[in-house]
Amino acid sequence: MAELISLVVPCYNEEQSLPYFWKETTAVMRQMDYLDFEVIFVDDGSRDKTLEILRALAASDSRVKYLSFSRNFGKEAAMYAGLEHAKGDYAAVMDADLQDPPALLEEMYRAVTQEGYDSAATRRVTRKGEPPIRSFFARMFYKIINKMADVEIVDGARDFRLMNRKFLNALLELKERNRFSKGLFGWVGFKTKWLEFENVERVAGETKWSFWKLFKYSIEGIVAFTTTPLTLASFMGFLLCMVALCSTVFIVVRKLLFGDPVSGWASTASIITFIGGIQLFFMGIFGQYLAKAYTEIKNRPIYIVAESNFQEE
Ligand code: UDP
Ligand code: MG
């Protein structure tokens, strides 16, 4: 029997791109006819006709499976759900907008079957077509997180990745709620081959990521993969104590030598404000960690399925 590949496709309001996606993917599956495929679409609480399209696809092709969430849980939850349901010897995650070219699958498959890798990952080497401000902040994010985190988080890495069972099972062991796949992939280890490609713009529809969403996601990444900001807070506190000690000695000595002309109200006020600001800033950081711990402890499910065509076993 041929080996089975599971393709996991998170979809959020993708009615416009799905027809293009399906056309290109079926072409690739035809080309790789030495393999069996299952395509698991995860409808992440779409508000457009995505689910209708998926139902129709499933009716017309037995390789199509779908899960539909009860609301929008986010791409990370959708990927996890799809991978959890994958039965394949290999599984790949792919975006529905063709920004992850299905044509690369063949090369990825070769890497995991013939070249001894456990996963084949992709990174785009350009950010062509992206707003420059967004590229700038994205670059900065990767610089910062890589300085602080132990696992490597590759700049430009996509979630588009083919993995073998061993890799997949390890990934599914990580049941955390605050999922940051770019880090989780690195965290599980194993051997990964990186394939590079030029950025492709989405075929249709619009990106689901606002600047604010991306910002929150980047905080999630930092909190999930490093506690360096906490160390930084202690360090900063220590430094300020030292400064305070020195200035106290300075003031006492000055008083003894020159008497005490009261002056410097403005500088005192700004010092107090500055220190208050730093304290609030780091309290915010502590709060982030605490909030993440809180969501983990509640232990809610990562997603809730409202409808699917999987037979419950
Ligand atoms: N997506 C999702 N849930 C969300 C947001 C996005 O399942 O809440 C899916 C989306 O349908 C697409 C993929 O994740 O298949 C990547 O989203 P998008 O193309 O909007 O992101 P970008 O490529 O701009 O980073
Ligand atoms: Mg996209």
Side-chain angles (χ1 to χ4, degrees), residues 138-154 180 183 217-226 228:
R139 290 230 168 79
M140 228 165 63
F141 166 70
Y142 284 107
K143 274 219 185 84
I144 293 176
I145 197 166
N146 277 314
K147 280 244 163 62
M148 297 193 300
D150 295 333
V151 297
E152 200 198 357
I153 293 165
V154 178
F180 184 74
Y217 188 57
S218 65
I219 301 277
E220 204 145 290
I222 292 174
V223 172
F225 282 94
T226 166
T228 308

Side-chain angles (χ1 to χ4, degrees), residues 95 97 99 158 202 207:
D95 283 4
D97 58 5
Q99 281 193 297
R158 310 238 356 135
R202 71 164 29 243
T207 174

Side-chain angles (χ1 to χ4, degrees), residues 235-303:
F235 181 72
M236 201 69 187
F238 179 74
L239 207 73
L240 282 175
C241 283
M242 287 298 134
V243 172
L245 200 72
C246 295
S247 60
T248 309
V249 169
F250 173 75
I251 288 164
V252 168
V253 169
R254 192 178 59 174
K255 154 102 179 121
L256 293 177
L257 295 182
F258 306 106
D260 188 24
V262 174
S263 71
W265 180 87
S267 54
T268 312
S270 48
I271 287 168
I272 290 175
T273 320
F274 172 70
I275 294 188
I278 288 192
Q279 278 174 340
L280 278 182
F281 177 71
F282 280 110
M283 246 162 70
I285 291 183
F286 298 159
Q288 286 296 327
Y289 283 90
L290 193 65
K292 297 297 177 200
Y294 182 51
T295 50
E296 296 295 339
I297 280 175
K298 281 190 284 192
N299 214 10
R300 290 180 180 165
I302 297 176
Y303 60 89

Side-chain angles (χ1 to χ4, degrees), residues 8 14-15 24 31 33 36 53-54 72 74 94 101 119 140 169 175 189 202 212 232 258 261 263 265 275 295 297 310:
V8 172
E14 296 287 3
E15 59 175 11
E24 192 148 326
Q31 205 180 318
D33 56 0
D36 287 333
I53 297 176
L54 296 184
N72 179 248
M94 268 161 98
S119 81
M140 228 165 63
N169 286 343
K175 299 195 189 305
R202 71 164 29 243
W212 179 237
L232 201 70
F258 306 106
S263 71
W265 180 87
I275 294 188
T295 50
I297 280 175
F310 279 89

